[in-house]
Amino acid sequence: MTPWNLLGVFARATTLARHGRGRGLAEHWQGLKYCQALAAGPGGYLSLTAEGESPELSYRAMQARELGRAFGLAVAERVVRSCFPACLVSTLDAEAVLLASFARSGPRPTLGARPRPDFFIEAWRPGEPSRIFVVTVNGNHQIATKRTSKADRSTSKQLARASERAEQFHLGQWNTTPCLLMSTELLAMEGITINALRAPGEGLLPTRTAEGSGSADHVLTERNLLYAGALRLPAIDGRRERSQDGFLIPRKEIGWFGQLLARTGAAGQLAFAGAGTEIAQYLTVKQGHKHYVQQTFAGSSSVRDARHRIGYTWYVGTDQVFRLNRTRVEAFSGMAEELYELLVKGGVEAYRQRAYDLRNTLPTGASAPQWGPEAFPSSV
């Protein structure tokens, strides 16, 4: 994996993240600050540079929170793709999805302090049932000196907390949704190490129709699903049957949830390409529909304003110019113009079909003529 590929994974997954008022486009460009923190280390593996090992505590904490999460998410995507090689993979911010059905009442839609997973990964293929994985990602930046190091203890605690968060979401019924829990040690003795736990399950979403009310092209109405006492835990280990708070998608709403994932993913793709008001059509009120209708914040209301040809394909999106050791660098993020136009017109199902048809035509190299480093994802 190259540094720009890693940063691209994290950028695509956070375009709809609600990390403050600057959600959207401003979020995914933040990854550029790590361009000098990563490089090929011993044996050619990706490792931290001297700058990446900077002793400033604030920088380390931020790096563990963001870069550690990026590594974990990249590995999670590869795990899902390896299990389902015939499928495409979509990664979605869990909060952005859950807001549509579990937002608390108040002037500003929020999930509050309820424990929840970080991301959902959907493995899908047009015309077939797709699968959903619950994902948590964490990172720590402790200096490891031996296997009983402080870093190991931090990792164990992170995985334990991740289990608590992941177990708050259930699709259809209790304890049948697959989970991937990731914790990254950025200064492990063996280099950057990703620790992973997996919980099995099917996580199946029903096949959608290509058109009509059952398709992802259909505008969704929000749901007010039960959170308090939503989960019924069976009598196990000598304990009585009991109820527990959690994000449960009832069986009758699983089809709706599949549509929600597809539409939220479409909004994320448009946000990555710098779209503006076009994003709003795919989001419910609680997900932030109003935010994208009213272009009021400079970082997230930028519009798609760049068009470049890479290989034989025209890509549209947005660019950013910055300085890297006094060198002027232009970065571009976008998507194939053909796919962009389908999403702008509301054609989620047509977009998915065409994206699947084009999956083997994307460039696979690490650089592009006249551009330099490039990263074309296998996820969509």
Side-chain angles (χ1 to χ4, degrees), residues 203-261:
L204 282 176
L205 298 172
T207 303
R208 290 192 307 274
T209 59
E211 56 186 20
S213 60
S215 76
D217 298 345
H218 182 70
V219 178
L220 298 182
T221 57
E222 292 181 324
R223 301 290 194 270
N224 291 312
L225 301 182
L226 182 65
Y227 175 80
L231 301 175
R232 298 295 299 175
L233 276 63
I236 55 176
D237 297 332
R239 303 183 65 179
R240 295 180 179 179
E241 181 179 344
R242 65 193 190 279
S243 62
Q244 178 178 303
D245 298 347
F247 301 101
L248 172 67
I249 307 298
R251 289 184 181 276
K252 64 179 182 179
E253 302 291 1
I254 291 180
W256 172 86
F257 188 72
Q259 293 172 276
L260 175 66
L261 288 178

Side-chain angles (χ1 to χ4, degrees), residues 2 9 24 44 117 130 142 191 228 275 329 346 351 355:
T2 61
V9 168
S130 59
Q142 307 292 340
V329 177
Y351 157 79

Side-chain angles (χ1 to χ4, degrees), residues 276-287:
T277 56
E278 299 91 346
I279 300 172
Q281 64 183 308
Y282 294 117
L283 300 177
T284 67
V285 173
K286 293 177 181 177
Q287 284 181 298

Side-chain angles (χ1 to χ4, degrees), residues 310-311 365-374 376:
I310 301 177
S367 63
Q370 300 178 348
W371 267 99
E374 70 173 13
F376 284 86

Side-chain angles (χ1 to χ4, degrees), residues 173-195:
Q173 62 180 333
W174 175 75
N175 209 31
T176 60
T177 309
C179 303
L180 289 169
L181 316 181
M182 325 297 290
S183 177
T184 303
E185 298 176 15
L186 291 173
L187 289 181
M189 293 182 65
E190 299 83 357
I192 297 173
T193 302
I194 295 93
N195 301 274

Side-chain angles (χ1 to χ4, degrees), residues 126-187:
E128 296 183 5
S130 59
R131 295 177 182 268
I132 181 176
F133 292 80
V134 175
V135 181
T136 63
V137 287
N138 295 280
N140 61 72
H141 214 174
Q142 307 292 340
I143 298 178
T145 58
K146 55 184 179 179
R147 291 311 301 167
T148 58
S149 66
K150 186 176 181 180
D152 289 323
R153 295 195 297 272
S154 297
T155 296
S156 298
K157 291 179 180 179
Q158 286 181 344
L159 290 173
R161 289 193 297 266
S163 177
E164 178 185 3
R165 302 203 316 272
E167 290 170 4
Q168 293 296 306
F169 179 85
H170 298 267
L171 185 67
Q173 62 180 333
W174 175 75
N175 209 31
T176 60
T177 309
C179 303
L180 289 169
L181 316 181
M182 325 297 290
S183 177
T184 303
E185 298 176 15
L186 291 173
L187 289 181

